[in-house]
Amino acid sequence: MKTIGRHLIAEYYGCDLALIDDVGAVERMMHAAAAAVGATVMASAFHRYAPQGVSGTLLIAESHLSIHTWPEHRYVAADIFTCGGLDPRPGFALLARELGAADRRMQEIVRGLPEHVAEGRALMPSDVVVLTGELH
Amino acid sequence: MKTIGRHLIAEYYGCDLALIDDVGAVERMMHAAAAAVGATVMASAFHRYAPQGVSGTLLIAESHLSIHTWPEHRYVAADIFTCGGLDPRPGFALLARELGAADRRMQEIVRGLPEHVAEGRALMPSDVVVLTGELH
């Protein structure tokens, strides 16, 4: 199997503050996002913090989804990382709707072995960024 | 609490293939990475796939860590996302050592409300990228 993966990094602003402080609602929404991208959920971990905020991850057969919420700022950070040819973008749109986000921002990067990324690049939307960090 | 978070996206190449197919070894390494950044682990989920490969996430009080391994390509994709002032970079270095990686690549992005990101930018290393994706 090729290593190529699409990692969508999403920020949502002006979200519904009661909803994003409700761990059950956040977990349901993340399962819906996984379904929207056609992913198979293998395991999940969600936690509600005191006094507020929810974090959670879904391990999927095709990588993972994660979410962190800051109800006091109506802000949510989410990631959808897929491999195996799945398109993560329907999950981004679903979360925007479910969160009641007034605004949102998204960046997608391609990850994997350099030769797989080079081969797969032609299949990506034009605004997808290939990871080109410095070696450290 | 400010929303500012540092998200380190790491690729490791030429890793020890037996090690990265061992779910117990991978989970121990991720706990060590969480300790190296001073994070508090809240929950974990790890899975070994057939015929090979391991995925896992650690939910930390300060966001999350994730890992996906492709033993057949000696390749590993890992993320370390921290908020609350933690520096994710010691975790990157620890994983490089533990994985026996011949080569590695890393990009770090800053996430959060735009005003918090703007305020916090002065505290970041010079090569940290601020997320500036298009609105979709």
Side-chain angles (χ1 to χ4, degrees), chain B residues 17-92:
Chain B
L17 62 86
L19 187 73
I20 68 175
D21 204 26
D22 178 342
V23 65
V26 171
E27 183 163 4
R28 283 191 292 278
M29 190 186 305
M30 292 298 278
H31 279 272
V37 305
T40 302
V41 176
M42 309 302 289
S44 70
F46 283 79
H47 186 81
R48 184 178 180 278
Y49 295 93
Q52 56 195 347
V54 169
S55 280
T57 57
L58 285 187
L59 208 57
I60 57 175
E62 306 83 2
S63 296
H64 75 268
L65 286 80
S66 69
I67 191 164
H68 306 288
T69 79
W70 281 259
E72 68 275 37
H73 295 293
R74 303 179 62 171
Y75 164 68
V76 169
D79 288 58
I80 307 179
F81 181 9
T82 59
C83 60
L86 296 189
D87 179 359
R89 295 195 178 206
F92 173 71

Side-chain angles (χ1 to χ4, degrees), chain A:
Chain A
M1 190 170 71
K2 298 227 167 157
T3 59
I4 193 164
R6 297 175 61 175
H7 188 164
L8 191 155
I9 294 167
E11 321 286 300
Y12 298 100
Y13 306 114
C15 300
D16 180 319
L17 63 86
L19 185 73
I20 68 175
D21 204 25
D22 177 341
V23 65
V26 171
E27 184 163 1
R28 283 191 293 278
M29 190 186 305
M30 292 298 279
H31 279 272
V37 304
T40 302
V41 176
M42 309 301 289
S44 70
F46 282 78
H47 186 80
R48 184 179 180 278
Y49 295 93
Q52 57 195 345
V54 168
S55 280
T57 56
L58 285 187
L59 208 57
I60 57 175
E62 305 83 4
S63 296
H64 76 268
L65 287 79
S66 69
I67 190 163
H68 306 288
T69 80
W70 281 259
E72 68 275 38
H73 295 293
R74 303 178 62 171
Y75 164 67
V76 169
D79 288 58
I80 307 178
F81 181 9
T82 59
C83 60
L86 295 188
D87 179 358
R89 296 196 175 204
F92 173 71
L94 181 139
L95 287 179
R97 285 194 303 274
E98 293 287 325
L99 292 163
D103 206 354
R104 59 201 185 279
R105 200 169 55 167
M106 184 261 273
Q107 179 172 305
E108 186 181 329
I109 59 173
V110 182
R111 304 177 65 168
L113 287 179
E115 56 269 34
H116 294 168
V117 169
E119 285 171 36
R121 207 165 175 169
L123 305 171
M124 298 292 150
S126 59
D127 58 345
V128 169
V129 177
V130 174
L131 179 63
T132 54
E134 290 291 302
L135 284 174
H136 289 269

